[in-house]
Short mmCIF file of all heavy atoms in Angstrom, two decimals:
data_model
loop_
_atom_site.label_atom_id
_atom_site.label_comp_id
_atom_site.label_asym_id
_atom_site.label_seq_id
_atom_site.Cartn_x
_atom_site.Cartn_y
_atom_site.Cartn_z
N TYR A 36 22.06 4.16 -12.22
CA TYR A 36 23.40 3.78 -11.79
C TYR A 36 24.23 3.42 -13.02
O TYR A 36 23.72 2.85 -13.98
CB TYR A 36 23.38 2.57 -10.85
CG TYR A 36 22.90 2.88 -9.45
CD1 TYR A 36 21.55 2.92 -9.14
CD2 TYR A 36 23.82 3.13 -8.44
CE1 TYR A 36 21.12 3.20 -7.85
CE2 TYR A 36 23.41 3.41 -7.15
CZ TYR A 36 22.06 3.45 -6.86
OH TYR A 36 21.64 3.73 -5.58
N GLN A 38 27.64 1.26 -14.11
CA GLN A 38 28.53 0.22 -13.62
C GLN A 38 29.56 -0.13 -14.68
O GLN A 38 29.22 -0.71 -15.72
CB GLN A 38 27.75 -1.04 -13.20
CG GLN A 38 28.62 -2.10 -12.56
CD GLN A 38 27.83 -3.28 -12.03
OE1 GLN A 38 26.72 -3.55 -12.48
NE2 GLN A 38 28.38 -3.98 -11.03
N ARG A 41 33.72 -4.86 -13.85
CA ARG A 41 34.49 -5.25 -12.66
C ARG A 41 34.49 -4.17 -11.58
O ARG A 41 35.41 -4.10 -10.75
CB ARG A 41 35.91 -5.66 -13.03
CG ARG A 41 35.96 -6.82 -13.99
CD ARG A 41 37.37 -7.23 -14.36
NE ARG A 41 37.36 -8.31 -15.32
CZ ARG A 41 37.25 -9.59 -15.00
NH1 ARG A 41 37.15 -9.95 -13.73
NH2 ARG A 41 37.24 -10.52 -15.93
N LYS A 42 33.46 -3.33 -11.59
CA LYS A 42 33.32 -2.30 -10.55
C LYS A 42 31.91 -2.37 -9.97
O LYS A 42 31.01 -2.97 -10.55
CB LYS A 42 33.55 -0.91 -11.14
CG LYS A 42 34.94 -0.69 -11.69
CD LYS A 42 35.97 -0.56 -10.58
CE LYS A 42 37.33 -0.19 -11.14
NZ LYS A 42 38.36 -0.10 -10.08
N GLY A 43 31.72 -1.72 -8.80
CA GLY A 43 30.40 -1.62 -8.23
C GLY A 43 29.58 -0.54 -8.92
O GLY A 43 30.13 0.36 -9.56
N PRO A 44 28.25 -0.58 -8.81
CA PRO A 44 27.41 0.47 -9.40
C PRO A 44 27.68 1.82 -8.74
O PRO A 44 27.88 1.90 -7.53
CB PRO A 44 25.99 -0.03 -9.10
CG PRO A 44 26.11 -1.49 -8.83
CD PRO A 44 27.45 -1.65 -8.20
N LEU A 46 26.10 5.71 -8.35
CA LEU A 46 24.90 6.52 -8.52
C LEU A 46 25.18 7.68 -9.46
O LEU A 46 26.08 8.49 -9.24
CB LEU A 46 24.41 7.04 -7.17
CG LEU A 46 23.13 7.85 -7.19
CD1 LEU A 46 21.95 7.01 -7.67
CD2 LEU A 46 22.84 8.42 -5.80
N TYR A 49 19.45 11.00 -9.78
CA TYR A 49 18.42 10.71 -8.77
C TYR A 49 17.28 11.70 -9.00
O TYR A 49 17.50 12.89 -8.98
CB TYR A 49 19.02 10.88 -7.38
CG TYR A 49 18.11 10.58 -6.23
CD1 TYR A 49 18.28 9.43 -5.48
CD2 TYR A 49 17.09 11.46 -5.88
CE1 TYR A 49 17.45 9.14 -4.42
CE2 TYR A 49 16.27 11.18 -4.81
CZ TYR A 49 16.45 10.03 -4.07
OH TYR A 49 15.63 9.75 -3.02
N LEU A 88 22.05 0.88 -15.07
CA LEU A 88 20.96 0.23 -14.34
C LEU A 88 19.98 1.27 -13.86
O LEU A 88 20.38 2.26 -13.21
CB LEU A 88 21.51 -0.52 -13.12
CG LEU A 88 22.49 -1.66 -13.39
CD1 LEU A 88 23.50 -1.77 -12.27
CD2 LEU A 88 21.73 -2.96 -13.50
N ARG A 92 11.98 3.08 -6.20
CA ARG A 92 11.33 2.62 -4.98
C ARG A 92 10.15 3.53 -4.67
O ARG A 92 10.00 4.60 -5.23
CB ARG A 92 12.31 2.60 -3.81
CG ARG A 92 12.87 3.93 -3.41
CD ARG A 92 13.61 3.81 -2.09
NE ARG A 92 14.17 5.08 -1.70
CZ ARG A 92 15.45 5.39 -1.75
NH1 ARG A 92 16.31 4.48 -2.19
NH2 ARG A 92 15.87 6.57 -1.38
N ALA A 95 11.31 6.63 0.74
CA ALA A 95 12.70 6.58 1.20
C ALA A 95 12.99 5.34 2.02
O ALA A 95 14.13 4.92 2.13
CB ALA A 95 13.02 7.84 2.01
N GLY A 96 11.98 4.72 2.61
CA GLY A 96 12.23 3.57 3.46
C GLY A 96 12.22 2.23 2.76
O GLY A 96 12.61 1.23 3.34
N ASN A 97 11.79 2.21 1.51
CA ASN A 97 11.66 0.94 0.82
C ASN A 97 12.95 0.50 0.15
O ASN A 97 13.87 1.29 -0.09
CB ASN A 97 10.57 1.03 -0.25
CG ASN A 97 9.18 1.05 0.34
OD1 ASN A 97 8.37 1.88 0.02
ND2 ASN A 97 8.93 0.12 1.23
N MET A 98 13.00 -0.79 -0.19
CA MET A 98 14.12 -1.31 -0.95
C MET A 98 14.03 -0.85 -2.40
O MET A 98 12.95 -0.60 -2.91
CB MET A 98 14.10 -2.84 -0.91
CG MET A 98 14.26 -3.44 0.46
SD MET A 98 15.85 -3.04 1.19
CE MET A 98 15.35 -1.90 2.46
N LEU A 99 15.20 -0.79 -3.02
CA LEU A 99 15.24 -0.47 -4.44
C LEU A 99 14.88 -1.68 -5.29
O LEU A 99 15.27 -2.81 -4.96
CB LEU A 99 16.64 0.00 -4.84
CG LEU A 99 17.04 1.44 -4.51
CD1 LEU A 99 18.49 1.67 -4.90
CD2 LEU A 99 16.13 2.41 -5.23
N PHE A 101 15.64 -2.98 -9.03
CA PHE A 101 16.55 -2.69 -10.13
C PHE A 101 16.04 -3.27 -11.44
O PHE A 101 15.42 -4.35 -11.47
CB PHE A 101 17.93 -3.29 -9.86
CG PHE A 101 18.75 -2.52 -8.87
CD1 PHE A 101 18.65 -2.76 -7.52
CD2 PHE A 101 19.63 -1.54 -9.31
CE1 PHE A 101 19.41 -2.04 -6.60
CE2 PHE A 101 20.39 -0.82 -8.41
CZ PHE A 101 20.28 -1.06 -7.06
N GLY A 102 16.33 -2.56 -12.53
CA GLY A 102 16.18 -3.14 -13.85
C GLY A 102 17.37 -4.04 -14.13
O GLY A 102 18.33 -4.09 -13.37
N GLY A 103 17.31 -4.76 -15.23
CA GLY A 103 18.37 -5.70 -15.55
C GLY A 103 19.63 -5.08 -16.09
O GLY A 103 20.67 -5.75 -16.18
N ARG B 259 38.57 -10.09 -4.80
CA ARG B 259 38.29 -11.31 -5.55
C ARG B 259 38.95 -12.48 -4.85
O ARG B 259 39.93 -12.31 -4.10
CB ARG B 259 38.79 -11.19 -6.99
CG ARG B 259 40.28 -10.95 -7.11
CD ARG B 259 40.65 -10.49 -8.51
NE ARG B 259 40.08 -11.36 -9.53
CZ ARG B 259 39.61 -10.92 -10.70
NH1 ARG B 259 39.63 -9.64 -10.98
NH2 ARG B 259 39.11 -11.76 -11.59
N PHE B 282 23.38 -3.12 3.32
CA PHE B 282 22.77 -4.23 2.61
C PHE B 282 23.85 -5.06 1.94
O PHE B 282 24.94 -4.57 1.63
CB PHE B 282 21.82 -3.72 1.52
CG PHE B 282 20.80 -2.73 1.99
CD1 PHE B 282 21.08 -1.36 1.93
CD2 PHE B 282 19.58 -3.13 2.48
CE1 PHE B 282 20.15 -0.43 2.36
CE2 PHE B 282 18.64 -2.20 2.92
CZ PHE B 282 18.93 -0.85 2.86
N TYR B 284 24.17 -7.44 -1.59
CA TYR B 284 23.57 -7.84 -2.86
C TYR B 284 24.44 -8.89 -3.53
O TYR B 284 25.66 -8.96 -3.29
CB TYR B 284 23.48 -6.63 -3.82
CG TYR B 284 22.37 -5.66 -3.54
CD1 TYR B 284 22.53 -4.65 -2.58
CD2 TYR B 284 21.16 -5.72 -4.24
CE1 TYR B 284 21.52 -3.74 -2.34
CE2 TYR B 284 20.15 -4.80 -4.00
CZ TYR B 284 20.33 -3.82 -3.06
OH TYR B 284 19.33 -2.91 -2.81
N GLN B 286 25.32 -10.26 -7.53
CA GLN B 286 25.17 -9.97 -8.96
C GLN B 286 25.85 -11.10 -9.73
O GLN B 286 27.08 -11.19 -9.77
CB GLN B 286 25.80 -8.62 -9.33
CG GLN B 286 25.53 -8.21 -10.76
CD GLN B 286 26.06 -6.83 -11.08
OE1 GLN B 286 27.06 -6.40 -10.51
NE2 GLN B 286 25.40 -6.12 -11.98
N SER B 291 21.38 -8.50 -13.17
CA SER B 291 21.22 -7.33 -12.31
C SER B 291 21.46 -7.72 -10.86
O SER B 291 21.90 -8.82 -10.55
CB SER B 291 19.83 -6.74 -12.51
OG SER B 291 19.74 -5.49 -11.85
N LEU B 292 21.13 -6.81 -9.97
CA LEU B 292 21.42 -7.00 -8.56
C LEU B 292 20.25 -7.67 -7.84
O LEU B 292 19.10 -7.28 -8.02
CB LEU B 292 21.69 -5.65 -7.90
CG LEU B 292 23.06 -5.01 -8.18
CD1 LEU B 292 23.16 -4.49 -9.60
CD2 LEU B 292 23.30 -3.89 -7.20
N LEU B 294 18.99 -8.54 -3.97
CA LEU B 294 19.20 -8.25 -2.56
C LEU B 294 19.23 -9.55 -1.77
O LEU B 294 18.29 -10.36 -1.85
CB LEU B 294 18.10 -7.32 -2.03
CG LEU B 294 18.18 -6.93 -0.56
CD1 LEU B 294 19.45 -6.11 -0.29
CD2 LEU B 294 16.95 -6.12 -0.15
N LEU B 341 28.12 -7.62 -3.42
CA LEU B 341 28.24 -6.17 -3.25
C LEU B 341 27.69 -5.72 -1.92
O LEU B 341 26.56 -6.08 -1.56
CB LEU B 341 27.48 -5.45 -4.37
CG LEU B 341 28.07 -5.58 -5.77
CD1 LEU B 341 26.97 -5.44 -6.81
CD2 LEU B 341 29.14 -4.55 -5.99
N ARG B 345 23.02 2.97 2.80
CA ARG B 345 22.11 4.09 2.52
C ARG B 345 22.43 5.22 3.49
O ARG B 345 22.53 5.02 4.70
CB ARG B 345 20.67 3.67 2.69
CG ARG B 345 19.67 4.81 2.53
CD ARG B 345 18.26 4.32 2.60
NE ARG B 345 17.94 3.49 1.45
CZ ARG B 345 16.86 2.71 1.36
NH1 ARG B 345 16.03 2.63 2.38
NH2 ARG B 345 16.64 2.00 0.30
N LEU B 349 16.47 12.85 3.63
CA LEU B 349 15.24 12.64 2.87
C LEU B 349 15.47 11.76 1.64
O LEU B 349 14.63 10.98 1.25
CB LEU B 349 14.64 13.97 2.45
CG LEU B 349 14.04 14.83 3.57
CD1 LEU B 349 13.56 16.17 3.02
CD2 LEU B 349 12.90 14.09 4.24
N THR B 350 16.62 11.93 1.00
CA THR B 350 16.83 11.20 -0.25
C THR B 350 17.21 9.76 0.00
O THR B 350 16.85 8.87 -0.78
CB THR B 350 17.91 11.87 -1.10
OG1 THR B 350 19.11 11.97 -0.33
CG2 THR B 350 17.47 13.26 -1.52
N GLY B 351 17.97 9.48 1.05
CA GLY B 351 18.34 8.11 1.35
C GLY B 351 19.01 7.40 0.20
O GLY B 351 18.65 6.29 -0.16
N GLU B 352 19.99 8.04 -0.42
CA GLU B 352 20.66 7.45 -1.57
C GLU B 352 21.45 6.21 -1.19
O GLU B 352 21.98 6.11 -0.09
CB GLU B 352 21.58 8.50 -2.21
CG GLU B 352 20.83 9.70 -2.72
CD GLU B 352 21.75 10.81 -3.19
OE1 GLU B 352 22.94 10.52 -3.41
OE2 GLU B 352 21.28 11.95 -3.31
N LEU B 353 21.52 5.27 -2.14
CA LEU B 353 22.19 4.00 -1.93
C LEU B 353 23.51 3.99 -2.66
O LEU B 353 23.57 4.28 -3.86
CB LEU B 353 21.30 2.87 -2.45
CG LEU B 353 21.68 1.45 -2.05
CD1 LEU B 353 21.51 1.24 -0.57
CD2 LEU B 353 20.84 0.45 -2.83
N PHE B 355 27.34 1.86 -3.33
CA PHE B 355 27.86 0.49 -3.41
C PHE B 355 29.37 0.46 -3.26
O PHE B 355 30.08 1.39 -3.63
CB PHE B 355 27.50 -0.12 -4.77
CG PHE B 355 26.05 -0.49 -4.90
CD1 PHE B 355 25.13 0.44 -5.35
CD2 PHE B 355 25.61 -1.76 -4.56
CE1 PHE B 355 23.79 0.11 -5.46
CE2 PHE B 355 24.27 -2.10 -4.67
CZ PHE B 355 23.37 -1.16 -5.12
N GLY B 356 29.83 -0.66 -2.74
CA GLY B 356 31.26 -0.95 -2.77
C GLY B 356 31.66 -1.46 -4.14
O GLY B 356 30.83 -1.60 -5.04
N GLU B 357 32.95 -1.76 -4.29
CA GLU B 357 33.49 -2.22 -5.57
C GLU B 357 33.10 -3.66 -5.87
O GLU B 357 33.20 -4.11 -7.00
CB GLU B 357 35.01 -2.11 -5.55
CG GLU B 357 35.52 -0.68 -5.46
CD GLU B 357 35.47 0.02 -6.79
OE1 GLU B 357 36.40 -0.13 -7.58
OE2 GLU B 357 34.48 0.74 -7.04
N ARG B 360 34.48 -10.42 -6.11
CA ARG B 360 34.23 -11.42 -7.16
C ARG B 360 34.69 -12.77 -6.67
O ARG B 360 35.87 -12.98 -6.44
CB ARG B 360 34.97 -11.02 -8.44
CG ARG B 360 34.73 -11.96 -9.62
CD ARG B 360 35.48 -11.46 -10.85
NE ARG B 360 34.95 -10.20 -11.32
CZ ARG B 360 34.01 -10.08 -12.25
NH1 ARG B 360 33.50 -11.16 -12.80
NH2 ARG B 360 33.60 -8.89 -12.62
#
Side-chain angles (χ1 to χ4, degrees):
Chain A
Y36 285 84
Q38 186 174 23
R41 301 180 182 276
K42 297 287 187 182
L46 183 63
Y49 182 107
L88 297 147
R92 63 169 179 253
N97 287 130
M98 297 297 109
L99 281 176
F101 283 87
Chain B
R259 60 195 310 143
F282 308 92
Y284 283 84
Q286 187 176 31
S291 189
L292 284 72
L294 180 64
L341 291 153
R345 175 176 292 166
L349 290 176
T350 57
E352 298 173 17
L353 193 66
F355 286 88
E357 295 281 276
R360 183 179 293 267

